[in-house]
Amino acid sequence: MPAGELKMTMPTNQNTGAPASGGAAGGSVVLSAKGLTKEFKGFVAVKDVDLSVREGSIHALIGPNGAGKTTCFNLLTKFLQPTRGVITYRGQDITGLAPAEISRLGVVRSFQISAVFPSLSVLENVRIALQRPGQLATQFWKPETALSVLNDRAAALIRSVGLDAFINHTAGELPYGRKRALELAATLALEPDVMLLDEPMAGMAHEDIGHIADLIRQAAQGRTVIMVEHNLHVVEDLCDAVTVLQRGEILAEGDYQTVSQDPRVREAYMGSEHD
Amino acid sequence: MATKAASPNVADVTAGHKTSPRTIALMIIGLALILVAPFLIYPVFVMKVLCFALFAAAFNLLLGYVGLLSFGHAAFFGGAAYITAYAIKAWGYPPELAILLGTAFAALMGLVFGYVAIKRQGIYFAMITMALAQMFFFFCLQAPFTGGEDGIQGVPRGKLFGFIDLSNSLNMYYFVAAVFVIGFLFIWRVVHSPFGSILKAIRENEQRAISLGYRVSRYKLGAFVISASLAGLAGSVKAIVFQLASLTDVGFQMSGEVVLMTLLGGIGTLMGPVVGAVLVVSLENYLATSSLPVPVVIGSIFVVCVLLFRRGIVGEFNAWMDRKRG
Ligand SMILES: Nc1ncnc2c1ncn2[C@@H]1O[C@H](COP(=O)(O)OP(=O)(O)OP(=O)(O)O)[C@@H](O)[C@H]1O
Ligand SMILES: [Mg+2]
């Protein structure tokens, strides 16, 4: 993502009160990291990160380009092996698990670049996600029509993200914003406990941002969401907790108000983004 | 967000996935050709084509639908041929049992090879399968029961299910044809099954498949074992048709030949490997009686094919049909 995209307008006069879905402060810690570190051939992309994500919260991970946000996601979901550190999910040490196992526990991620199965239809994309929890993934002797038992559930998920008019479209041909919505539908199909969304609104038109924000708010009912987001209005509007990363390290942490008034955070953003 | 647009009925959704009339027509034509072929062409030649077509189709299941290039498939083809030939000749097994044994052996070998190789990517996967197949080749060269350079010759064809005499060439032919058709339909079913849809998803976006919780290595291994078993089935039947299992069947050239057939016909198309097998086997038969050096001609065709028709014959044909339809 080009650095210029980070339109940083730190609101100074906060009078809007508590963030949208409150009550998160009381939740217990669902996912946590201790001393999380990732080195790439000497370059430290993530350094000694301690993270505690509370049950039911929407937790934002923000920071300038290259701060290590995506790397953090990759570590938390084990798509990358941490150099050091421990990851805990609901009290269980998951540092040694394979990424598919993390997903099966209920910690499901999306990708910064939208991840759909491009030659499959919208319906099939969602069905792929639905196939796994059922026994419909390994049956090599059955016809494909055996999957039609999943159609109703898939259609409901597709409707919930506003893609019903596109149900038969090939996923690869959808516009970007709709691909993201599809990805969300497929992720929701797994009924995850914790969802990690990497820049779900990047590259979207203004009107789509509101739509996806609504979707995320809706999806966050009864689950925990961790999201990387550059649009701070969205963060302010949506998130209960914010962790700011800079050069792989945590710069600040807390609710949006606290973080946005932190002079170091302001400097970090203003320093590189002032225009 | 315009959500008012008429939402299509979910029931029609699967309709898009019905087998196309073109495919059905092709299959019927193919079946008719197989049925009449022994009256038009020398049956042993057609049987050879059918064995190799099944072998190539099995290989294509892995390359075309999982994206794994194995350079060691001869081990399954030839290994099963040895087992079948030996079971018949030394233990007096009936053909159906010997074929079953050969296929099971190939499946087991596929499990071992696959287990070792499956986590590697691209060229490393190809190298490991090749190395394992070469090890197996040398084992076959040394092991006493394979008959060394001579192979296992003069394998009696026997009686299928105790009453169908396979030494009758038409009986033999229709048995081979039946095995081919069943094997081919089985592959078709695997490709268009719930399992097949996951294979497709893995090929399109492996990271996303993992993030949805799929243990992708297991799916790949599953496909590898299915592919190896069917390659073994082809090898077993071939051993009975030619009454011979030899080092040629497990050799490096055999592994290369199946790659060539698949490339030539069209990777990832159902009919491609069949077309490729027909071409390569015909060409070899023709060249065997001419003075042209076989490897040079085959090699040149390979180069031309890779340079000019990257999608293979069937692949190019399909693309042309799609273009024509617009
Ligand atoms: N596989 C890798 N090998 C080497 N360096 C890497 C690798 N992945 C990431 N990095 C480096 O680590 C740093 C952090 O990258 P990361 O993608 O986590 O940043 P980010 O915060 O997600 O940035 P953006 O906002 O641009 O998405 C960058 O400097 C990047 O170049
Ligand atoms: Mg990133």
Side-chain angles (χ1 to χ4, degrees):
Chain A
M1 155 159 320
E5 202 162 311
L6 205 153
K7 292 250 169 47
M8 183 62 205
T9 45
M10 275 289 183
T12 38
N13 51 341
Q14 292 301 324
N15 49 15
T16 40
S21 34
S28 56
V29 173
V30 178
L31 188 68
S32 74
K34 268 235 135 17
L36 204 57
T37 302
K38 180 68 187 177
E39 293 172 8
F40 293 113
K41 300 198 176 97
F43 171 75
V44 187
V46 170
K47 191 173 172 191
D48 239 348
V49 164
D50 291 341
L51 201 66
S52 293
V53 180
R54 301 205 164 266
E55 172 130 42
S57 66
I58 305 185
H59 193 125
L61 200 56
I62 66 170
N65 295 114
K69 306 178 295 292
T70 298
T71 308
C72 263
F73 268 26
N74 284 333
L75 294 172
L76 289 171
T77 50
K78 288 307 304 300
F79 276 74
L80 281 174
Q81 181 66 33
T83 313
R84 275 186 300 282
V86 180
I87 306 161
T88 316
Y89 169 66
R90 293 194 179 278
Q92 183 192 350
D93 183 346
I94 58 168
T95 322
L97 295 187
E101 306 310 314
I102 306 259
S103 168
R104 283 162 172 254
L105 282 176
V107 181
V108 183
R109 68 164 308 171
S110 73
F111 294 85
Q112 185 165 350
I113 310 292
S114 92
V116 296
F117 303 111
S119 82
L120 303 186
S121 73
V122 168
L123 177 81
E124 288 169 321
N125 261 272
V126 177
R127 272 198 327 209
I128 293 287
L130 287 171
Q131 268 177 267
R132 207 222 348 112
Q135 294 303 305
L136 276 165
T138 49
Q139 298 175 332
F140 59 83
W141 57 91
K142 282 199 178 161
E144 219 163 22
T145 48
L147 294 175
S148 50
V149 297
L150 301 174
N151 284 359
D152 288 344
R153 278 173 67 204
L157 283 158
I158 289 164
R159 202 173 310 122
S160 77
V161 298
L163 286 180
D164 25 1
F166 301 91
I167 192 162
N168 287 329
H169 285 224
T170 307
E173 287 163 10
L174 293 178
Y176 189 79
R178 301 231 149 90
K179 276 190 194 145
R180 303 258 37 174
L182 171 58
E183 202 184 339
L184 198 60
T187 304
L188 286 171
L190 299 178
E191 296 178 7
D193 180 29
V194 179
M195 255 192 329
L196 295 94
L197 308 173
D198 197 346
E199 301 196 19
M201 296 157 200
M204 275 196 193
H206 189 69
E207 58 275 18
D208 286 345
I209 290 186
H211 176 64
I212 294 277
D214 288 343
L215 285 179
I216 292 173
R217 207 191 317 269
Q218 199 182 8
Q221 299 295 323
R223 50 175 63 95
T224 309
V225 175
I226 312 174
M227 59 191 280
V228 172
E229 185 50 62
H230 279 302
N231 186 325
L232 293 174
H233 295 297
V234 171
V235 172
E236 180 185 11
D237 195 39
L238 214 56
C239 301
D240 313 294
V242 180
T243 299
V244 187
L245 276 182
Q246 191 189 24
R247 292 193 207 94
E249 288 181 276
I250 293 183
L251 187 65
E253 222 172 354
D255 61 23
Y256 184 80
Q257 266 62 271
T258 320
V259 165
S260 64
Q261 257 130 54
D262 189 310
R264 287 168 305 167
V265 176
R266 298 180 65 82
E267 192 197 340
Y269 275 96
M270 298 308 186
S272 59
E273 296 297 328
H274 193 58
D275 45 68
Chain B
M1 200 77 239
T3 41
K4 275 271 153 60
S7 69
N9 187 351
V10 183
D12 335 322
V13 163
T14 34
H17 260 269
K18 285 241 178 74
T19 318
S20 74
R22 200 214 303 174
T23 312
I24 293 175
L26 270 175
M27 281 189 173
I28 291 172
I29 294 170
L31 192 65
L33 278 177
I34 289 171
L35 288 176
V36 300
F39 302 103
L40 309 173
I41 318 168
Y42 188 47
V44 173
F45 169 76
V46 189
M47 287 192 273
K48 186 175 177 186
V49 166
L50 289 176
C51 289
F52 278 99
L54 180 58
F55 182 25
F59 174 81
N60 183 47
L61 175 65
L62 200 60
L63 179 59
Y65 296 94
V66 192
L68 291 173
L69 172 58
S70 157
F71 254 109
H73 255 49
F76 312 128
F77 182 81
Y82 273 127
I83 297 292
T84 299
Y86 191 82
I88 292 172
K89 204 169 174 191
W91 301 332
Y93 270 39
E96 67 277 7
L97 216 57
I99 289 173
L100 220 57
L101 199 67
T103 307
F105 177 76
L108 194 71
M109 222 164 43
L111 194 64
V112 174
F113 277 35
Y115 190 80
V116 176
I118 217 83
K119 292 238 163 110
R120 319 282 153 201
Q121 307 280 330
I123 190 77
Y124 298 103
F125 179 84
M127 300 280 276
I128 288 180
T129 48
M130 186 167 98
L132 289 168
Q134 282 305 97
M135 278 165 58
F136 185 68
F137 175 86
F138 285 110
F139 168 78
C140 292
L141 183 65
Q142 301 294 331
F145 75 92
T146 58
E149 301 277 358
D150 300 331
I152 304 174
Q153 299 184 1
V155 178
R157 281 181 175 178
K159 285 193 165 67
L160 186 68
F161 306 122
F163 67 95
I164 304 172
D165 188 1
L166 293 182
S167 57
N168 172 307
S169 99
L170 269 189
N171 286 351
M172 184 74 231
Y173 177 82
Y174 284 111
F175 174 61
V176 174
V179 170
F180 169 79
V181 169
I182 291 167
F184 186 82
L185 289 178
F186 178 73
I187 290 171
W188 189 70
R189 167 45 52 85
V190 170
V191 168
H192 299 284
S193 69
F195 176 72
S197 70
I198 303 302
L199 288 181
K200 196 166 173 189
I202 292 172
R203 198 177 33 140
E204 295 219 335
N205 194 337
E206 184 164 342
Q207 296 298 307
R208 179 55 173 162
I210 294 171
S211 85
L212 292 176
Y214 286 106
R215 294 159 172 154
V216 296
S217 299
R218 296 195 190 179
Y219 287 85
K220 291 181 184 176
L221 185 58
F224 194 91
V225 172
I226 293 173
S227 172
S229 313
L230 289 166
L233 176 63
S236 289
V237 173
K238 196 234 96 179
I240 294 180
V241 170
F242 291 94
Q243 306 181 269
L244 168 74
S246 74
L247 284 173
T248 315
D249 302 333
V250 287
F252 173 68
Q253 283 213 345
M254 186 62 81
S255 291
E257 207 157 284
V258 78
V259 178
L260 174 67
M261 288 172 186
T262 309
L263 271 177
L264 200 60
I267 296 169
T269 63
L270 230 37
M271 292 308 285
V274 179
V275 172
V278 171
L279 276 172
V280 172
V281 173
S282 316
L283 202 70
E284 279 175 347
N285 262 32
Y286 169 74
L287 290 173
T289 57
S290 81
S291 59
L292 289 164
V294 182
V296 176
V297 176
I298 299 270
S300 317
I301 290 175
F302 193 92
V303 171
V304 170
C305 175
V306 169
L307 290 179
L308 293 183
F309 328 101
R310 310 212 33 190
R311 282 181 278 224
I313 292 165
V314 174
E316 294 290 347
F317 176 77
N318 286 345
W320 177 74
M321 289 290 278
D322 287 346
R323 267 203 305 279
K324 228 176 55 169
R325 250 182 295 158

